[in-house]
Amino acid sequence: MTVRTAVAAPGTGRTVPVPTFEHLVRLTDDTGLFEHARHATARREHGYCTDDVARGLVVTSREAAPTAEVLRLAECYLTFLTHAQDANGAFHNRLAFHRQWTDQPGLGDWWGRALWGLGTAAARCPVPWIRHEALLAFNRGAWCRATAPRSMAFAALGAAEVLRTDSGNEPAAGLLADAGAVIGHPGSDPGWPWPEQRLTYANAALAEALIISGDLLDDPPALTAGLRMLTWLLRIQTRDNHLSVLPSSGWQSGGPRLRHDQQPIEVAALADACATAAALTGDHVWHTGVRQCVDWFLGANDIGEVMWDPATGGGYDGLTLHGPNLNQGAESTLALISTLQHRSAAGAGVVVSPARMVP
């Protein structure tokens, strides 16, 4: 594969690759997206999960000028999600390779991410029938309510996509408002401005959900709370001018903080949130945050290792003390693509073309 690259923002000394969907194609069959890989080879024995398929629909729908191949991926992922959804709007999460569901429909993270994917497809996909079918499935699921903050935060991201194109969509507006209530606002402690006493995974999604809720629902306290949370989250995850995200073990308030293993999903969530904040506020600090997220994959991290494979287009599964985990599963590859889709914001004025970036 010839990797297309682009000039990064001045002063970074790095080139930013244009996102490639080549590894997603490798991990996708006519049913869905395989969850795990051994290096670049799909591990069929682990089957598929709605969590990853939903994120696949997010990134394919975000492409401004998708190729026919990317649109085929979007169609496959949409079909999977509509098959996973039950009549009440809940979703199965795990499908075995032999096409048997191994769980019951529920409202966990996978429900929230499914609505995120469906809402993004309904708002952004250039294919009319995909937009239509995605909106039908989104509306069915948007009447449900989860109790977990992250499930609601992911669903809120999909609701925001729908509301930006249809401000009168009642299920989306109600879901976004309820998500803000479930997430909550941080307390007054300046040393821990977070609504939970433990940071776990995809933390920036909580802040982003409050930011978009405050903006779209005209709720200034929610917007202020979300920006305060994101400011703190970016600050505590910046070390020596590079990104050092919280590890998979998380961080308890008052407890020790470890630095490994770092997961690409944390970087992708932070990139999304910073890009949203940049679009709303224009503040340069958020453009810097997006650029640090992009640079994390390119080697500006705690051990100076590149976190993707140019030969395959796959993202590495984690950053350990001893180097990258070289497996290239769906989650890490989607995190890579999602982050690189913000490359123009990271470049602060860089113009993107299909083949290259021109400063």
Side-chain angles (χ1 to χ4, degrees):
M1 177 186 78
T2 301
V3 178
R4 298 176 297 170
T5 59
V7 179
T12 66
R14 296 182 179 88
T15 58
V16 179
V18 174
T20 171
F21 289 80
E22 183 171 339
H23 193 51
L24 279 194
V25 172
R26 186 178 293 112
L27 295 179
T28 302
D29 64 3
D30 61 350
T31 297
L33 176 61
F34 290 110
E35 182 177 8
H36 293 297
R38 180 182 292 109
H39 293 175
T41 303
R43 300 190 66 176
R44 294 180 175 180
E45 68 270 25
H46 293 289
Y48 322 83
C49 72
T50 294
D51 258 329
D52 289 335
V53 172
R55 283 180 281 209
L57 188 56
V58 169
V59 299
T60 53
S61 299
R62 280 179 175 178
E63 283 293 284
T67 64
E69 188 171 57
V70 170
L71 290 176
R72 283 194 294 271
L73 292 176
E75 178 181 349
C76 176
Y77 301 156
L78 172 63
T79 301
F80 184 101
L81 294 181
T82 57
H83 177 53
Q85 189 176 37
D86 72 4
N88 297 316
F91 288 82
H92 291 278
N93 187 34
R94 298 201 170 275
L95 184 71
F97 177 61
H98 298 295
R99 299 188 180 183
Q100 296 295 319
W101 294 109
T102 62
D103 62 354
Q104 295 300 312
L107 302 177
D109 284 357
W110 58 93
W111 163 81
R113 287 197 175 101
L115 293 190
W116 182 11
L118 292 167
T120 305
R124 301 200 195 192
C125 185
V127 179
W129 76 262
I130 290 181
R131 293 199 307 271
H132 176 76
E133 294 297 328
L135 184 59
L136 288 177
F138 171 86
N139 285 340
R140 182 182 300 117
W143 293 110
C144 300
R145 293 294 181 269
T147 58
R150 279 161 183 76
S151 299
M152 290 294 282
F154 299 140
L157 300 179
E161 293 281 0
V162 172
L163 286 173
R164 289 186 185 113
T165 59
D166 177 13
S167 60
N169 184 288
E170 184 180 349
L175 178 57
L176 186 56
D178 289 345
V182 171
I183 294 167
H185 291 191
S188 58
D189 181 2
W192 193 266
W194 201 258
E196 303 169 315
Q197 287 303 299
R198 185 176 184 84
L199 294 167
T200 54
Y201 60 94
N203 298 294
L206 301 184
E208 185 182 8
L210 288 181
I211 290 169
I212 58 178
S213 175
D215 174 55
L216 293 175
L217 302 181
D218 193 20
D219 184 353
L223 177 59
T224 299
L227 289 172
R228 179 185 173 209
M229 289 164 58
L230 187 59
T231 298
W232 179 68
L233 196 61
L234 180 60
R235 178 175 61 81
I236 64 171
Q237 296 187 110
T238 300
R239 179 188 186 196
D240 299 331
N241 295 319
H242 69 261
L243 202 62
S244 178
V245 294
L246 295 172
S248 56
S249 58
W251 186 27
Q252 179 72 35
S253 176
R257 176 181 169 182
L258 304 178
R259 297 198 176 273
H260 299 282
D261 296 329
Q262 295 178 27
Q263 303 295 304
I265 185 177
E266 297 306 315
V267 182
L270 188 60
D272 280 351
C274 287
T276 293
L280 290 178
T281 70
D283 194 326
H284 182 71
V285 67
W286 305 123
H287 291 286
T288 299
V290 175
R291 188 170 68 246
Q292 288 176 322
C293 292
V294 171
D295 285 350
W296 184 89
F297 283 97
L298 305 182
N301 49 53
D302 283 346
I303 63 174
E305 292 281 351
V306 172
M307 288 299 297
W308 75 296
D309 184 354
T312 65
Y316 293 140
D317 277 357
L319 184 66
T320 76
L321 284 170
H322 309 292
N325 175 341
L326 297 178
N327 291 332
Q328 300 165 36
E331 179 180 278
S332 54
T333 298
L334 291 163
L336 169 70
I337 295 171
S338 174
T339 302
L340 293 180
Q341 285 178 323
H342 296 303
R343 65 200 182 280
S344 58
V350 173
V351 178
V352 182
S353 75
R356 60 194 177 95
M357 276 184 180
V358 180

